């Protein structure tokens, strides 16, 4: 390979690493084998529609599982909008890149996180990658991150039925299934059904449906307001013969916790919202570990 100095750029060949800007990982030919990372249950968090609360659910579910004695990894696969580090207040941290592996960011002794956000120079840098490049990055997130021995890997996915879900379903070992998050409103439920059909095509089981933003208690009068309706997720679960994991109310405290980078379930206890998230987690554990 011909290498140039800054004074002589005309002679360098196209492989000169000093000349090229940081390159995304290059796709390999053929299907790579499954990762041999040590994890008992990989849980995909998916939705048909965007903005229904996947990342919020992922953060709180992972935190709840870890505070119940499970060793948990949280993998943020939303390459284009990685929100997990912000929601955990660790967006300024960088995973240590060592000779043989990348050390994930450890939130607690039993909760580790990996996200594309850690690897970007700043929060406004977009990732412009095609599917095969994402697949290579996902493989590295599984194989080269020092997750240790995990009980759960919770995977936060972007909305819809794209490359990230396809790749993680192909590459991760012990994919126990997908948790589908929806709001109760018709458009979200319709899209959730599409996501369920998609995940079934990948031969990944659907663990259950979570109805998020399900009713809100007015902080002034105590009345319940069903902003996005109520029961849509539960009905879809019944109609499709899929387990219903429970409902999480619309709660401004969840927004605040996410924006302030403090997982709601670790900062509150015994509120209706905390009990709802805890019940969802318990239902999930029952289905996954039985
Ligand atoms: N139960 C809830 N009560 C109140 N706000 C919520 C609730 N769940 C999520 N939110 C808020 O809704 C917004 C979207 O949530 P979140 O980012 O978790 O959704 P998402 O499905 O991951 O979105 P995307 O599809 O963009 O990845 C956030 O501002 C979050 O704080
Ligand atoms: Mg998200």
């Amino acid at each position: 390979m011909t290498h140039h100095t800054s004074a002589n750029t005309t002679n360098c060949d196209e492989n000169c690493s000093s000349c090229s800007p940081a390159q995304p990982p290059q796709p390999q030919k053929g299907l790579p084998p499954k990762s041999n990372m040590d994890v008992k249950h990989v849980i995909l968090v998916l939705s048909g529609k965007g903005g229904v609360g996947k990342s919020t659910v992922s953060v709180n579910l992972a935190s709840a599982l870890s505070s119940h004695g499970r060793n948990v990894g949280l993998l943020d696969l939303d390459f284009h909008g990685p929100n997990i580090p912000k929601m955990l207040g660790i967006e300024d941290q960088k995973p240590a890149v060592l000779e043989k592996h990348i050390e994930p960011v450890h939130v607690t002794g039993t909760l580790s996180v990996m996200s594309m956000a850690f690897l970007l120079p700043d929060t406004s840098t977009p990732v412009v990658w095609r599917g095969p490049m994402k697949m290579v990055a996902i493989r590295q997130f599984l194989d080269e991150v020092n997750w240790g021995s995990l009980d759960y890997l919770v995977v936060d996915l972007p909305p819809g039925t794209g490359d990230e879900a396809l790749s993680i379903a192909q590459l991760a070992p012990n994919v126990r299934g997908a948790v589908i998050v929806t709001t109760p409103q018709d458009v979200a439920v319709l899209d959730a059904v599409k996501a369920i059909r998609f995940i079934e095509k990948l031969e990944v089981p659907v663990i259950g449906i979570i109805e998020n933003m399900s009713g809100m208690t007015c902080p002034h009068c105590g009345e319940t307001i069903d902003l996005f309706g109520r029961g849509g997720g539960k009905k879809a679960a019944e109609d499709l013969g899929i387990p219903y994991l429970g409902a999480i109310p619309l709660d401004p405290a969840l927004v605040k916790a996410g924006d302030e980078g403090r997982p709601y379930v670790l900062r509150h206890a015994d509120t209706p919202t905390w009990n709802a998230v805890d019940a969802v987690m318990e239902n999930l554990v029952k289905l996954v570990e039985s």
Side-chain angles (χ1 to χ4, degrees):
M1 182 173 86
T2 317
H3 176 54
H4 73 77
T5 61
S6 56
N8 173 20
T9 57
T10 47
N11 289 336
C12 84
D13 72 21
E14 60 188 11
N15 296 322
C16 173
S17 58
S18 302
C19 301
S20 342
Q23 292 293 314
Q26 294 306 303
Q28 297 162 350
K29 293 224 164 64
L31 260 193
K34 280 208 182 266
S35 163
N36 57 5
M37 73 177 287
D38 180 8
V39 57
K40 286 194 192 127
H41 313 290
V42 173
I43 309 289
L44 313 183
V45 180
L46 198 70
S47 74
K49 197 175 179 307
V52 295
K54 290 175 297 302
S55 301
T56 304
V57 164
S58 299
V59 160
N60 284 288
L61 209 52
S63 302
L65 284 166
S66 80
S67 65
H68 278 69
R70 308 303 192 280
N71 227 353
V72 183
L74 176 53
L75 177 57
D76 180 1
L77 283 192
D78 194 340
F79 289 95
H80 303 286
N83 295 143
I84 296 291
K86 163 87 182 142
M87 287 181 173
L88 284 166
I90 51 173
E91 70 270 38
D92 294 332
Q93 298 202 29
K94 294 275 171 216
V97 181
L98 307 173
E99 204 177 317
K100 290 210 172 113
H101 66 254
I102 304 167
E103 197 60 31
V105 172
H106 300 286
V107 180
T108 64
T110 52
L111 179 61
S112 313
V113 179
M114 189 64 206
S115 168
M116 195 65 208
F118 295 137
L119 308 177
L120 297 171
D122 54 62
T123 50
S124 53
T125 302
V127 170
V128 189
W129 286 1
R130 292 186 195 283
M133 294 168 180
K134 290 180 191 166
M135 190 169 194
V136 176
I138 291 170
R139 185 165 173 68
Q140 289 176 341
F141 282 163
L142 298 178
D143 282 346
E144 291 173 30
V145 172
N146 183 29
W147 292 107
S149 180
L150 293 179
D151 295 308
Y152 285 87
L153 181 71
V154 176
V155 183
D156 181 34
L157 285 159
T161 52
D163 294 310
E164 294 82 351
L166 268 169
S167 295
I168 191 77
Q170 281 172 352
L171 297 177
N174 300 328
V175 178
R176 178 57 186 80
V179 162
I180 309 291
V181 181
T182 183
T183 58
Q185 66 187 123
D186 288 351
V187 280
V189 173
L190 271 177
D191 288 353
V193 174
K194 215 185 291 172
I196 290 167
R197 297 290 179 234
F198 164 76
I199 211 76
E200 284 172 349
K201 277 209 166 81
L202 303 185
E203 297 181 358
V204 170
V206 177
I207 299 171
I209 294 182
I210 298 173
E211 181 173 307
N212 188 30
M213 307 190 188
S214 177
M216 175 186 164
T217 304
C218 171
H220 306 295
C221 67
E223 286 258 338
T224 301
I225 309 159
D226 290 338
L227 201 60
F228 298 115
R230 190 191 279 263
K234 187 167 192 234
K235 182 166 183 315
E238 282 164 7
D239 291 350
L240 297 166
I242 286 168
Y244 177 61
L245 295 172
I248 299 171
L250 188 78
D251 185 343
L254 268 169
V255 182
K256 193 163 181 279
D259 284 351
E260 291 178 357
R262 299 173 300 116
Y264 179 91
V265 289
L266 299 185
R267 295 292 185 278
H268 298 74
D270 249 350
T271 62
T273 300
W274 188 91
N275 288 327
V277 177
D278 193 62
V280 166
M281 189 268 302
E282 296 278 1
N283 286 334
L284 177 95
V285 166
K286 253 185 249 154
L287 286 167
V288 169
E289 295 184 15
S290 61

